[in-house]
Amino acid sequence: MNLLDFFYHTKNLVVTEVHICYNGVRLKPFTKRLLCTIIIMLKSGISKEFDAFRSVLQKNPAIKIQDVGFYDLNVFTSCELNDQLMVTPSIWQDIHPSLKTIPFETEITVPYGLLYAETLCSKAQLFIDTIKDFLSPQ
């Protein structure tokens, strides 16, 4: 099973909601690049929140969206080497030393938390249950 197949066959535990941001090379001015640029983001159908944000971006004909199935080291490296922008959750602000995270001015947020297999061993299930107990209001 590849990583994308795993993603579609997981459960999730939302820990928080985070804002959508863009990442790009730290030394380049962002505002000029947004006028006519390629933006890397998750392909349609993976995240309803990213799909909503895609709709906002598609209103600007100068922005071209490059779809990826998931983010991996190759995507971050491509973003850095090709001076591209990438849509990411704000919590990834320190994910790559050469990329700077800038929030988009939008109210769209994405859930952030844990992905885990549908069937777990007892210790992993205990861990998930402990996190759920911690997050539930008392």
Side-chain angles (χ1 to χ4, degrees):
M1 176 184 307
N2 67 39
L3 185 58
L4 197 53
D5 288 337
F6 174 77
F7 178 78
Y8 286 120
H9 295 93
T10 60
K11 292 184 177 182
N12 66 65
L13 176 60
V14 175
V15 175
T16 189
E17 294 279 330
V18 297
H19 288 279
I20 292 179
C21 296
Y22 59 95
N23 273 287
V25 179
R26 289 184 182 275
L27 302 176
K28 307 281 180 155
F30 283 95
T31 52
K32 291 180 183 173
R33 287 192 290 166
L34 278 175
L35 297 177
C36 181
T37 193
I38 295 173
I39 296 183
I40 299 170
M41 69 182 302
L42 291 175
K43 69 180 184 177
S44 293
I46 293 177
S47 164
K48 65 180 180 185
E49 295 82 9
F50 273 71
D51 290 350
F53 190 66
R54 173 186 297 273
S55 297
V56 172
L57 290 177
Q58 288 174 329
K59 292 177 182 175
N60 182 339
I63 294 176
K64 307 296 181 224
I65 298 173
Q66 178 181 330
D67 292 328
V68 294
F70 57 92
Y71 294 121
D72 63 8
L73 186 56
N74 293 327
V75 174
F76 290 99
T77 301
S78 174
C79 182
E80 175 189 19
L81 296 177
N82 298 312
D83 194 23
Q84 296 168 317
L85 297 175
M86 175 175 38
V87 177
T88 63
S90 60
I91 202 161
W92 289 7
Q93 65 188 10
D94 297 319
I95 200 151
H96 192 285
S98 297
L99 302 178
K100 181 177 182 176
T101 302
I102 305 291
F104 277 108
E105 293 182 18
T106 180
E107 295 301 314
I108 300 172
T109 60
V110 294
Y112 193 83
L114 301 173
L115 293 177
Y116 56 95
E118 293 175 332
T119 305
L120 298 174
C121 69
S122 60
K123 289 182 180 179
Q125 187 62 58
L126 178 61
F127 174 76
I128 294 297
D129 292 342
T130 301
I131 298 296
K132 285 180 180 178
D133 288 346
F134 178 78
L135 294 173
S136 64
Q138 302 300 325

